[in-house]
Amino acid sequence: MRIDLMAGATTASVARDLTPNPTILVFDSGLGGLTVLDQVRRARPDASYVYVADDAGFPYGRLSEATLVDRSLAVMERLVSLHRPDLIVIACNTASTIVLPALRQRFPMPIVGVVPPIKPASEATRSRMITLLATPGTVARAYTHDLIETYAGQCAVTLVGAPNLARFAESQLAGAPVDDATLSAEIAACFVTGDDGRRTDVVALACTHYPLLLGRFQALAPWPVTWIDPAPAIARRVTQLLGAADRSVPYAGTVLGTFTSGSGLTGALRASLDRHGIGSIAVEAMPLGLQ
Ligand code: DGL
């Protein structure tokens, strides 16, 4: 499907004519994309969803850029041909910051990416000291450095590439949270005090896994800061492209969870997935390296 915004027609009316009850595919390396899925489902409860966790490739933060591009293309190739979505959300900063051009070239439907929320962070800060908390892959990307130069030139930006946080978020979802001391150590570098006494006042969550730990971050932070989660902005972008839901139709779309390994699907994790609306689960086995 292709949406052309014609003069005089709103996005909503054009899109609703074209895509009643659309199918939206939400993709991440693992379960972080659930934080985006939750927001998009609120905006479009009528849509059907395919949530894709490339758990055979998790964590993406450790993959080289070339491997990540090949891997994402291979997984999407398989899942897009199976489900023929009307729109794709790449709910992963580590992937979006490198694979969006290749995906957009390959697939015709609209693709919404999640990229580090540097712009809202620079708008929210008063101390002009902000931190970007992300995977090691995302903090290394040229894309991330370009965003900082464009939107946060007037700020001191601390880049924290956390090696374990995505895994900690997944353990918590599976009912095995790490202890406070371990979590504190992982986020300690986010909090900086300058020579002039100014302190970090905004932390941008640039990995979709991290909002799963937000309550604990808030409790463990050495001082209060504003945490920026880009998921609500992603949901707004989806409704710009597909139109708002027709709330008069009593239709709740389904959510299918698809895993490329499924090896971590314990009873506790299935219960968590159920709380995020994932009622049925499928495994499309795609071992890393064999795509
Ligand atoms: N959820 C992913 C992101 O937004 C990354 C987690 C991983 O390292 O796989 O960056």
Side-chain angles (χ1 to χ4, degrees):
M1 180 206 68
R2 186 175 184 86
I3 299 173
D4 290 314
L5 299 180
M6 295 169 288
T10 65
T11 316
S13 63
V14 170
R16 222 180 350 251
D17 289 348
L18 293 176
T19 52
N21 311 125
T23 297
I24 299 175
L25 189 151
V26 178
F27 172 74
D28 184 28
S29 58
L31 303 171
L34 294 176
T35 61
V36 177
L37 176 72
D38 290 348
Q39 294 294 325
V40 178
R41 282 183 68 220
R42 276 197 202 176
R44 287 300 306 247
D46 59 317
S48 294
Y49 292 87
V50 181
Y51 182 81
V52 179
D54 182 17
D55 57 334
F58 179 84
Y60 275 4
R62 76 198 149 108
L63 300 184
S64 73
E65 295 190 351
T67 304
L68 187 47
V69 172
D70 290 351
R71 176 69 184 175
S72 307
L73 277 171
V75 174
M76 294 307 288
E77 194 78 54
R78 169 97 68 101
L79 275 299
V80 168
S81 70
L82 268 178
H83 297 287
R84 311 224 164 267
D86 297 292
L87 181 142
I88 296 170
V89 179
I90 304 299
C92 175
N93 294 261
T94 312
S96 291
T97 47
I98 192 74
V99 305
L100 285 179
L103 289 173
R104 287 183 173 138
Q105 203 176 358
R106 173 65 192 85
F107 301 108
M109 63 285 289
I111 301 180
V112 178
V114 179
V115 295
I118 294 289
K119 186 167 183 269
S122 71
E123 288 164 357
T125 184
R126 289 170 174 228
S127 67
R128 286 179 290 110
M129 291 181 67
I130 66 182
T131 290
L132 184 77
L133 181 60
T135 65
T138 298
V139 301
R141 298 269 187 274
Y143 188 100
T144 302
H145 292 268
D146 287 350
L147 278 180
I148 292 170
E149 206 174 298
T150 306
Y151 295 111
Q154 77 295 3
C155 295
V157 181
T158 301
L159 293 171
V160 179
N164 304 305
L165 268 189
R167 196 162 47 77
F168 292 167
E170 299 237 335
S171 314
Q172 178 150 313
L173 212 56
V178 295
D179 60 42
D180 283 354
T182 306
L183 199 54
S184 286
E186 194 81 0
I187 63 170
C190 293
F191 301 91
V192 179
T193 303
D195 293 340
D196 56 3
R198 285 185 300 136
R199 299 194 302 193
T200 305
D201 65 351
V202 175
V203 178
L205 299 175
C207 169
T208 53
H209 279 74
Y210 301 168
L212 293 168
L213 296 166
L214 180 56
R216 296 191 65 200
F217 290 164
Q218 285 167 329
L220 295 170
W223 58 80
V225 296
T226 300
W227 303 87
I228 309 257
D229 172 5
I234 300 307
R236 285 195 294 277
R237 181 67 187 138
V238 169
T239 53
Q240 266 174 9
L241 289 166
L242 289 181
D246 181 351
R247 305 270 172 181
S248 67
V249 180
Y251 177 86
T254 54
V255 188
L256 168 70
T258 299
F259 292 75
T260 55
S261 155
S263 61
L265 284 167
T266 58
L269 182 57
R270 283 173 188 268
S272 281
L273 295 175
D274 197 53
R275 284 194 287 279
H276 286 273
I278 297 184
S280 46
I281 290 174
V283 175
E284 281 296 319
M286 286 190 73
L288 186 64
L290 294 184
Q291 64 265 17

